[in-house]
Amino acid sequence: MKHRIVVLGAGYAGAYVAGTLARRLSPADAEITVVNAEPDFVQRMRLHQLAAGQKVEAPPLADVFAGTGIRLRLARVTAVDPERRAVTVADADGGGELGYDTLVYALGSRGARHGVPGAGEHAFDIAARPSALRLRERLDDLSGRQEGGRVLVVGDGLTGIETATEIAESRPGLAVTLIARGELASALSAGARAHLRRACARLGVTVLEHTEVEAVEATRVRCADGTVLASDATVWTAGFAVSPLAAAGGLEVTEDGRIVVDRAMRSVSHPDVYAVGDSAHAVADNGRPLPMSCASAGYTGMQATAAIVAHLTGRAIPHTRLEYVGNHISLGRRDGIFQMVDEEWRPKPKHIAGRKAARFKAAILGMSLWTTSHPTFGLPRRRHRLAAAPQASAAESPARAAA
């Protein structure tokens, strides 16, 4: 009986893990299934561009995994049962269960509302492709009006900064305001912050600092100091949260719902479950939890893949790097910032800004898309056999039969 590997999610981390495992493990011993709700690969790092009205490639996952031997299941994950080693999915045919021997949990994150009244009902976000497209439709409507419109972007993290500057550059007829809870981009060096302020001024982005949004309404937001700001489209970028599925399934999670993993990306409570990307609470080499980011997805994906291959083939588990080297921020299509950080993730005085930084980030995004679209390119051609007979997965169980 083949060892069943199920990968939940086909974002940057999930697609990488599935493709690498397909190239490294013999199909005579292992079968790999990827479960994803969207039929296309979503370039999450470019969703602010999609919302602003630009064309963003979304290659079909069927094409991405063609020729790899990976099975693609287009479905939404509704439950995880690590005790029975099964996941429940819903699709157009009603769904069912998938049994697994090894599970890779890569469901990523979504926008966090932080309990702010009205944020879920009235605000847009760009944490997923459908929500980014809804915002794009709204911006199209506002751009078509003679009087234009007012766009409020709540949150001055990397996503908020990129969203505000992208919309301002792509849609100059709209008035864009960026709301920062504290000082604008406090995680950047003084020089990088100064460049960001100049970019916002050049693009016409109004910045409100030390402003906390207390409630979101259909046509305005209310702030904690009593200020009321009119808005035709409020974009919520104030943080991210993970799905509650891991916690509901009994996996050990942190307070914010991320799966607690060891150095090999293995769940500390259920060792046949690996977590990667935003779903994992992984501790970096400097002792700090890795932040939710694409860079973290890459590092955790590489570590999980190496650990799974080693575990299944009887080899010693290697430790790949777990670090965070800096922040890439696009400020429209022709400007950007690359902020390097030290070992404690404090901003270094040196940074790269302007067109050079914009080209640098564009190259990284292009490389990320190409490598994801070619998941087995450049990997070792030798496929390892499993060290022993695959685990005796519940062959007679409903999960196995339904799979």
Side-chain angles (χ1 to χ4, degrees), residues 137-192:
E137 184 177 351
R138 176 58 175 163
L139 296 179
D140 284 343
D141 177 62
L142 294 178
S143 297
R145 299 185 340 187
Q146 185 174 0
E147 66 274 19
R150 295 154 297 191
V151 179
L152 298 186
V153 180
V154 182
D156 69 322
L158 306 189
T159 303
I161 292 169
E162 292 191 325
T163 301
T165 53
E166 198 76 47
I167 293 174
E169 181 180 86
S170 298
R171 300 173 182 269
L174 302 180
V176 180
T177 298
L178 176 61
I179 300 178
R181 189 173 183 178
E183 180 185 8
L184 176 65
S186 59
L188 300 180
S189 64

Side-chain angles (χ1 to χ4, degrees), residues 314-336:
R315 292 168 168 79
I317 295 177
H319 282 178
T320 64
R321 291 185 304 164
L322 292 179
E323 59 184 357
Y324 195 77
V325 297
N327 297 315
H328 298 81
I329 310 170
S330 64
L331 306 174
R333 294 299 85 217
R334 296 179 293 277
D335 195 0

Side-chain angles (χ1 to χ4, degrees), residues 80-86 100 103 246 248-251 269-270 272-273:
V80 177
D81 187 344
E83 301 301 328
R84 295 177 56 241
R85 289 188 298 184
Y100 66 82
L103 181 71
L251 290 158
S269 61
H270 296 81
D272 49 4
V273 177

